[in-house]
Amino acid sequence: MQRIQLTEDLSFSRLIHGLWRLDSWNQEKKKTLDLIKYAMEQGITTFDHADIYGGFTCEELFGQALSLEPSIREKMELVTKCGIVFEAPARPQHKSHHYNTSKKHIIESVENSLTNLKTDYIDVLLIHRPDPFMNPEEVAEAFRQLKNSGKVRHFGVSNFKHHQFTMLQSYLDEKLVTNQIELSAYQLENIEDGTLNLCLEKRMAPMAWSPLAGGALFKGTDEKSVRLRETLEKVKEEIEASSIDEVAYAWLLAHPAKIMPLIGSSQKERMARAVRSLEYHLTLDQWFEILQSSMGHDVP
Amino acid sequence: MQRIQLTEDLSFSRLIHGLWRLDSWNQEKKKTLDLIKYAMEQGITTFDHADIYGGFTCEELFGQALSLEPSIREKMELVTKCGIVFEAPARPQHKSHHYNTSKKHIIESVENSLTNLKTDYIDVLLIHRPDPFMNPEEVAEAFRQLKNSGKVRHFGVSNFKHHQFTMLQSYLDEKLVTNQIELSAYQLENIEDGTLNLCLEKRMAPMAWSPLAGGALFKGTDEKSVRLRETLEKVKEEIEASSIDEVAYAWLLAHPAKIMPLIGSSQKERMARAVRSLEYHLTLDQWFEILQSSMGHDVP
Amino acid sequence: MQRIQLTEDLSFSRLIHGLWRLDSWNQEKKKTLDLIKYAMEQGITTFDHADIYGGFTCEELFGQALSLEPSIREKMELVTKCGIVFEAPARPQHKSHHYNTSKKHIIESVENSLTNLKTDYIDVLLIHRPDPFMNPEEVAEAFRQLKNSGKVRHFGVSNFKHHQFTMLQSYLDEKLVTNQIELSAYQLENIEDGTLNLCLEKRMAPMAWSPLAGGALFKGTDEKSVRLRETLEKVKEEIEASSIDEVAYAWLLAHPAKIMPLIGSSQKERMARAVRSLEYHLTLDQWFEILQSSMGHDVP
C-alpha cells in the first residue's frame, strides 16, 4: 500500500485504521489481534487512538490484544490524542466536560496511553481539539519533555483551524506533522474554510475522520444525503466499484493533499473495500460531479 | 493615463478594457480594431480576456481584429485566464462544468489562447477560480514551463481568498502579480473579508471586475441598489460629474490599494466617462457616505 | 499589582483604568485627581483614553485633573486613540461620521491629545478602528514622525481582525504593542474568530474593553445573560467572591493571553473589586463552565 512520508523518519500507511469504536465491538482480544494483523497484511500499519475513545477504554483493549504478540508493535505506527476531559467511570477524578492542554495533563495522558497501549512510545501524539484556554508555552514544554524522553516521536493536532494551527506552531520546536480533520464528500467545511489549503501550504498530509460521514452517505434521509448518494451510485456504476463507500474513499484519495482516511470498521470486508478504493481512478468530471452534488450547486 | 507597476518590467494602465462580452457586440473586426485603438488613445493599453469568454470565442474575435494591424500588439498588455471548463460548441471535448488546473490543461489552454489572440506571448496569465482540487505542484510546473518558453511573462489569480492565495504562492518560483476580484461600491465582500487587505499586504494591485456591479447601480430595484444609487446621484452633483458610473469608478480609484477597474463596454462614450473619473477627487466624507450607503449602516 | 511587559521599555498594570465615561461623571477636577491617585495606589498606573470619548471632551477633563499635580504623569502610562471622526460641538469642522487614518489626521489628533491631556508624550497610540480606506504607508509615516519627535513612544491598534493587523504591521518599522478588543465572558467573538490567538501568536498582550459586557452580566434579560449570570453566581459562591464582576474579571485574567481588562468605573469600591479579582483562582472546570454557559452548549 502507498505510504505517506510525514517526516524524514516517519511514514503512515495511506489508509489508517481507527479504533474509536473498539469497545463497542465487544470482542475477545484474540479477535482484535486478528483484525490488527489482517489490517497489517493489507498494508494498513497505522492505527489511530485517543485517550477518550470508549470512555477512556479503547486504548487498553488494543493494548491487551497487542500484548498477545508484542513483536508486531515495531511494524506499526500508533497515533493517539489527548486534551479532552469528561466524566467517565474510568476517570473518576473528572468532574466536568472541558479541555485540558496543560503540561501536567498532556504528560499524564501520555503516560496513561503508554500503559494502556502496552508500548514504550507513541509515534504521533495529537492535541485532540483546539483549546480556547490553551497555554501554548505549556504545550511546547510538554512536547519537548515527551520528545526528549523518547515517549513520543512526533506531534500533531486535530480539528485545528488556520489561526489555531499557526498560533500553536509558532511556539513549538518542531513542525506539527499532521492535522486530523473531518472530511468527506458529505462534509466539505474543511475544504471550504481553507483548512485543507493550510495542510497543502504546510506540506502536511491530513488525516480524515468520518470519511463516510458517519454513515450519512448510506442512510441519511436529508436532501443532501439523498442527492449525494444518488451521485455516488452513478459514479459507482461508471467505475465498476462494488459499493458507494469505495467511491467515497476514492473521492478523498484522488485529492492532491494526500488525505489519509480513517477506516473505523471491525469488518474485514469493509476494510477490504477501502483498500480496493485505492485502485479506482476518478475523472475530473466525476470528482466535481460528486463535489457539486454535495454542495447542491455548481462551482461558480 | 496613470500606470500601475506590477513588476519591474511590467505595468498596466490604471483602467483596463474587459472583453468578456466581445462576442455579444456582434461587430466587424474592423470595428473591434477601431475600439481597441480608441482605448489605446485614451491610455487604456491593458486588455483582459479569458479562454471561456463568449463560450470560448472572444479571444479569437479579438485576435482577428488584432491581425488587421499586428504592430499594435507590442504597445498593449494582454491578460487572459484559464482553469474553468464547461460544455460549449467551441469545446466539444468538454463533458461537464468543472475546474481544471492540471499542468496539461493550463499549458493547452495557453496554447489555444496564443493561437486565438494571434500573439506570441501573454503578459499575465490568471488562474480564473480557486480550484478545490488544485494540485499546486502541477500549477507551479506549468507556470515554470510557460515562463521558460517565453509564452507567458507573469502569473496571477482571480477570485482567490487569503488561504487560496498563500497556499498557491508558497509553491511558486515568482510572486503572483495580481488578483482579479469582484469589487464595487455595491459589492463589498472582498473589502469586508480581508481580500483587499491581502492585496495591500502583498504589495499587489488588484484588478476589479464588475466595478459597476453588472448594472445593479443603474437598474437594480433592491433596497441596497436604490439606496446606493441615491447616494451616488448626490455625490455626482457635488463633484459635478456627468453620470453615476463616473462616481462609482472614482470611488474605487480613490482607494489606496491601486485598484484597476475593468471597463467592459463597446461604447466609446462609456469608456470616456471611465477615463474622466480619473480626474475626480472624492472627499473622505463622500467616500464613506457611499460605503455606508452600500452597507446600510454606519461604520462602528 | 502584576505588570505586563509590552516592550523592553514599557509595561502596563494588569488592570487598566478606562476613561470613556469621564465626562458623564460630572465631577470636579479635584475629585478626578483623587480617583486617579486612588487607582495608582492600587497599582493601576495605566489609563486608557481616546480622542472621541465624551464627544472629544474626556481627554481634557483628565488633563485638567492631571495639571493639579503634574508630577504624577511620570508614574503613569497614557494610552489614547485616533481615527474616528464624527460630528460634535467640540469638533465643528467634522461634517459626518467616518474614519480618517491619514498622516495629517493622525498627527493632528495626537497634537490635540497632548494639549488636552497636558502631557508631552503618549505612551501608546492606538488606531481606534480598522479603516477600510486605510493607506498603510501614510499610517507608517505618521507613526515614524511621531516616534522620532518623541510624542508617542509606541503604537497599537484596536478592534483589528487578523487580516487588518497583519496588513498594517507589514508596513510598520516597529511591532504593534497591543490590540484593544472587546472581550468578556459574554462576548466571545474575538476568542472564536481567532483574534485572541493572533495576540498569542504575536506575543502581544491584548487590552479588553467591556470586560463586564457593558452591564449585560448584571442586568441583561436575554437568555444568554440570564444563563451566564446564574453560572457566575454559582462560581462566585464557590470561590467566595463578593460579586459576579470579580468572577467575570477573574475569568479573563485566568486566560494565558495576559488579557488586560479595562475598568471604567468612577467608584472606588468597584475598582477595588476588580483589584481583588486578581487573587481568585478559577479551576479549569469553572473556567469552562462559564465559557459553555456563555456559548449555550458544551465544547465539542
Coordinates of all heavy atoms in Angstrom, one line a residue, chain C residues 33-62:
Chain C
L33 N -8.8 63.9 40.1 CA -7.4 63.6 40.6 C -7.4 62.6 41.7 O -6.5 61.7 41.7 CB -6.8 65.0 41.0 CG -5.3 64.8 41.6 CD1 -4.4 64.3 40.5 CD2 -4.8 66.1 42.2
D34 N -8.3 62.8 42.6 CA -8.4 61.8 43.7 C -8.6 60.4 43.2 O -7.9 59.5 43.7 CB -9.5 62.3 44.6 CG -9.7 61.4 45.8 OD1 -8.7 61.2 46.6 OD2 -10.8 60.8 46.0
L35 N -9.5 60.2 42.2 CA -9.7 58.9 41.7 C -8.5 58.3 41.0 O -8.1 57.2 41.1 CB -10.9 59.0 40.7 CG -11.4 57.6 40.2 CD1 -12.1 56.9 41.3 CD2 -12.3 57.9 39.0
I36 N -7.8 59.2 40.2 CA -6.6 58.8 39.5 C -5.5 58.3 40.6 O -4.9 57.2 40.4 CB -6.0 60.0 38.7 CG1 -6.9 60.4 37.6 CG2 -4.6 59.6 38.2 CD1 -6.5 61.7 36.9
K37 N -5.4 59.1 41.6 CA -4.4 58.7 42.7 C -4.8 57.4 43.4 O -4.0 56.6 43.8 CB -4.2 59.9 43.6 CG -3.5 61.0 42.9 CD -3.4 62.3 43.8 CE -2.3 62.1 44.8 NZ -2.1 63.4 45.5
Y38 N -6.1 57.3 43.6 CA -6.6 56.1 44.2 C -6.2 54.8 43.4 O -5.7 53.8 43.8 CB -8.1 56.1 44.5 CG -8.7 54.8 45.0 CD1 -8.5 54.5 46.4 CD2 -9.3 53.9 44.2 CE1 -9.0 53.3 46.9 CE2 -9.8 52.7 44.7 CZ -9.6 52.4 46.0 OH -10.1 51.2 46.5
A39 N -6.5 55.0 42.1 CA -6.2 53.9 41.1 C -4.7 53.6 41.2 O -4.3 52.4 41.3 CB -6.5 54.3 39.7
M40 N -3.9 54.6 41.2 CA -2.4 54.4 41.3 C -2.0 53.7 42.6 O -1.0 52.9 42.6 CB -1.7 55.7 41.0 CG -2.0 56.2 39.6 SD -1.2 57.8 39.2 CE 0.5 57.4 38.9
E41 N -2.6 54.1 43.7 CA -2.3 53.4 44.9 C -2.6 51.9 44.8 O -1.9 51.1 45.5 CB -3.1 54.0 46.1 CG -2.5 55.4 46.5 CD -3.6 56.2 47.3 OE1 -4.6 55.6 47.7 OE2 -3.5 57.4 47.3
Q42 N -3.7 51.6 44.1 CA -4.0 50.2 43.9 C -3.0 49.5 42.9 O -3.1 48.3 42.7 CB -5.4 50.0 43.3 CG -6.5 50.7 44.1 CD -6.7 50.2 45.5 OE1 -6.8 49.0 45.6 NE2 -6.7 51.1 46.5
G43 N -2.2 50.2 42.3 CA -1.3 49.7 41.3 C -1.7 49.8 39.9 O -1.1 49.4 38.9
I44 N -2.9 50.4 39.7 CA -3.4 50.7 38.3 C -2.8 52.0 37.8 O -3.2 53.1 38.1 CB -4.9 50.8 38.3 CG1 -5.6 49.6 38.9 CG2 -5.4 51.1 36.9 CD1 -7.1 49.6 39.0
T45 N -1.7 51.8 37.0 CA -1.0 53.0 36.6 C -1.2 53.3 35.1 O -0.7 54.3 34.6 CB 0.6 52.8 36.8 OG1 0.9 51.7 35.9 CG2 0.9 52.4 38.2
T46 N -2.0 52.5 34.5 CA -2.2 52.7 33.0 C -3.6 53.2 32.8 O -4.6 52.7 33.4 CB -2.0 51.4 32.3 OG1 -0.7 50.8 32.6 CG2 -2.1 51.6 30.8
F47 N -3.8 54.3 32.0 CA -5.0 55.0 31.8 C -5.4 55.0 30.3 O -4.5 55.4 29.5 CB -5.0 56.4 32.4 CG -4.8 56.4 33.9 CD1 -3.5 56.3 34.5 CD2 -5.9 56.3 34.8 CE1 -3.4 56.2 35.9 CE2 -5.8 56.3 36.1 CZ -4.5 56.2 36.7
D48 N -6.6 54.6 30.0 CA -6.9 54.5 28.6 C -7.9 55.6 28.1 O -9.0 55.7 28.7 CB -7.6 53.1 28.4 CG -8.0 52.9 26.9 OD1 -7.1 52.6 26.1 OD2 -9.2 52.9 26.6
H49 N -7.5 56.3 27.1 CA -8.3 57.3 26.5 C -8.6 57.1 25.0 O -8.0 56.2 24.4 CB -7.5 58.7 26.6 CG -7.3 59.1 28.0 ND1 -8.2 59.9 28.7 CD2 -6.3 58.9 28.9 CE1 -7.8 60.2 29.9 NE2 -6.6 59.5 30.1
A50 N -9.4 58.0 24.5 CA -9.5 58.1 23.0 C -9.8 59.6 22.8 O -10.5 60.2 23.6 CB -10.5 57.2 22.4
D51 N -9.4 60.1 21.6 CA -9.8 61.5 21.3 C -11.3 61.7 21.4 O -11.8 62.7 21.8 CB -9.2 61.9 19.9 CG -9.7 61.0 18.8 OD1 -10.2 59.8 19.1 OD2 -9.7 61.4 17.6
I52 N -12.0 60.7 20.9 CA -13.5 60.8 20.8 C -14.3 60.7 22.1 O -15.5 61.1 22.1 CB -14.1 59.8 19.8 CG1 -13.8 58.4 20.3 CG2 -13.6 60.1 18.4 CD1 -14.7 57.3 19.5
Y53 N -13.7 60.2 23.1 CA -14.5 59.9 24.3 C -15.2 61.2 24.8 O -14.6 62.3 24.9 CB -13.7 59.3 25.5 CG -13.3 57.9 25.1 CD1 -12.2 57.3 25.8 CD2 -14.0 57.1 24.2 CE1 -11.8 56.0 25.5 CE2 -13.6 55.8 23.9 CZ -12.5 55.2 24.6 OH -12.1 53.9 24.3
G54 N -16.5 61.1 25.2 CA -17.3 62.2 25.6 C -17.4 63.3 24.6 O -17.5 64.4 24.9
G55 N -17.5 62.8 23.3 CA -17.6 63.8 22.2 C -16.4 64.7 22.2 O -16.5 65.9 22.1
F56 N -15.2 64.1 22.3 CA -13.9 64.8 22.2 C -13.7 65.7 23.5 O -13.1 66.7 23.4 CB -13.8 65.6 20.9 CG -13.9 64.8 19.7 CD1 -15.2 64.6 19.1 CD2 -12.8 64.3 19.1 CE1 -15.3 63.9 17.9 CE2 -13.0 63.5 17.9 CZ -14.2 63.3 17.3
T57 N -14.2 65.3 24.6 CA -14.0 66.1 25.8 C -13.3 65.4 27.0 O -12.8 66.1 27.9 CB -15.4 66.6 26.4 OG1 -16.1 65.4 26.9 CG2 -16.2 67.3 25.3
C58 N -13.3 64.1 27.0 CA -12.7 63.4 28.2 C -11.2 63.6 28.4 O -10.8 63.8 29.5 CB -13.1 61.9 28.1 SG -14.8 61.5 28.4
E59 N -10.5 63.6 27.3 CA -9.0 63.8 27.5 C -8.8 65.1 28.2 O -7.9 65.2 29.1 CB -8.4 63.9 26.1 CG -8.2 62.5 25.4 CD -7.5 62.7 24.1 OE1 -7.7 63.7 23.4 OE2 -6.7 61.7 23.8
E60 N -9.5 66.2 27.9 CA -9.3 67.5 28.5 C -9.6 67.5 30.0 O -8.9 68.0 30.8 CB -10.0 68.6 27.8 CG -9.6 70.0 28.2 CD -10.3 71.0 27.4 OE1 -11.1 70.7 26.5 OE2 -9.9 72.2 27.5
L61 N -10.7 66.8 30.3 CA -11.1 66.7 31.7 C -10.0 66.0 32.5 O -9.7 66.3 33.7 CB -12.4 65.9 31.9 CG -13.7 66.6 31.3 CD1 -14.9 65.7 31.3 CD2 -14.0 67.9 32.1
F62 N -9.4 65.0 31.9 CA -8.3 64.2 32.6 C -7.1 65.1 32.7 O -6.5 65.2 33.8 CB -8.0 63.0 31.8 CG -7.0 62.1 32.5 CD1 -7.4 61.0 33.3 CD2 -5.6 62.2 32.2 CE1 -6.5 60.1 33.9 CE2 -4.7 61.3 32.8 CZ -5.2 60.3 33.7

